[in-house]
Amino acid sequence: TGSSRPQRMLKAVQKNATKGDPKSVISAIDYYCRHKEWAMNVGDEKGLILDSVLTEVNPSTALELGTYCGYSTVRIARLLSPGSKLITIEFNPAFAAVARQIIAYAGLQDKVTLVEGPSGDLIPKMKERFGIKSFDFVFLDHWKDRYVPDTKLLEDCGLLRKGTVLLADNVICPGAPEYLKYVRNSPRYESQYYKSNLEYTKVEDGLEKSVFLG
Ligand SMILES: Cn1ncc2cc([C@H](O)c3cccc(CNC(=O)c4cc(-c5ccc(F)cc5)cc(O)c4O)c3)ccc21
Ligand SMILES: [Mg+2]
């Protein structure tokens, strides 16, 4: 059997990036996915919005739902202050295996805890397993129909605090209409839409930033 898209992405990183240099890992993936083979990374255009929101929040504890190959994991972890932590949840073992190698290649393994399993099962275990009091920042990029149930689960598990920032990918394409309705109509969130494009294309997409008001 041949290689998978994630495995080919890993090869591109090992061939074109410099070990321990997150920026070169990000560029290698963006080059490969723009010129060779599209893949569902947040990408360079939406990635700049992710970077700016992250720099503004400067989270001590961050959560990512949907690691995939670890592109946004590297984007987030490279901007974390010393001692800050990113927990990323991936249910697909093949994706997780590639992501671990890409995160390690970038030299960010000490800032990242990749947990394998479905978000719905793992979110309620965050406090007991990782001693998390609450998250300062959450990046949603997993199954779009899980954005609402997992946001409600984070609320119910007391993992959001006044000022926690949620940033959701793909609210236009593929779309997360129920999520937009939820955060935009709820008095417990202050939401803002960042218009952009679907990774490596001219198709409209965007990120929704929602601040939990407590
Ligand atoms: C429960 N649970 N817990 C952890 C967890 C982790 C996963 C996986 O990481 C995983 C697997 C498959 C799909 C996704 C969601 N991502 C997407 O579907 C997506 C699509 C497109 C797009 C856009 C246009 C197209 F034409 C085709 C695909 C662009 C994007 O940026 C995406 O993020 C995430 C899944 C459920 C999980
Ligand atoms: Mg996405």
Side-chain angles (χ1 to χ4, degrees), residues 119-138:
S119 49
D121 298 356
L122 290 168
I123 286 169
K125 296 177 176 149
M126 282 294 137
K127 291 192 182 227
E128 77 199 67
R129 274 204 194 173
F130 305 103
I132 300 286
K133 212 169 125 326
S134 63
F135 288 109
D136 304 316
F137 177 83
V138 181

Side-chain angles (χ1 to χ4, degrees), residues 76-142:
I76 294 166
R78 88 188 199 285
L79 296 176
L80 293 180
S81 304
S84 297
K85 285 281 169 201
L86 169 62
I87 295 177
T88 183
I89 300 179
E90 179 50 61
F91 92 104
N92 180 315
F95 292 171
V98 166
R100 287 187 199 286
Q101 295 174 81
I102 288 180
I103 293 159
Y105 200 88
L108 295 167
Q109 64 284 350
D110 295 346
K111 290 174 174 284
V112 177
T113 304
L114 193 161
V115 200
E116 280 189 52
S119 49
D121 298 356
L122 290 168
I123 286 169
K125 296 177 176 149
M126 282 294 137
K127 291 192 182 227
E128 77 199 67
R129 274 204 194 173
F130 305 103
I132 300 286
K133 212 169 125 326
S134 63
F135 288 109
D136 304 316
F137 177 83
V138 181
F139 183 55
L140 299 92
D141 194 19
H142 59 337

Side-chain angles (χ1 to χ4, degrees), residues 40-42 63-74 76 86-92 95-96 99 114-115 117-119 122-123 138-144 146-147 150 169-170:
M40 61 177 179
N41 315 116
V42 73
L63 173 67
E64 174 180 57
L65 303 177
T67 317
Y68 185 41
C69 295
Y71 173 90
S72 46
T73 320
V74 168
I76 294 166
L86 169 62
I87 295 177
T88 183
I89 300 179
E90 179 50 61
F91 92 104
N92 180 315
F95 292 171
L114 193 161
V115 200
S119 49
L122 290 168
I123 286 169
V138 181
F139 183 55
L140 299 92
D141 194 19
H142 59 337
W143 286 332
K144 310 315 163 194
R146 289 295 313 175
Y147 284 15
D150 284 346
D169 190 24
N170 311 117

Side-chain angles (χ1 to χ4, degrees), residues 49 168 170-173 180 184 191-197 204-210:
I49 300 166
N170 311 117
V171 294
I172 303 301
C173 177
L180 287 183
R184 289 177 178 175
S191 276
Q192 184 182 352
Y193 175 63
Y194 291 80
K195 185 175 189 294
S196 184
N197 291 299
E204 184 184 341
D205 188 19
L207 300 169
E208 186 83 357
K209 175 190 161 190
S210 306

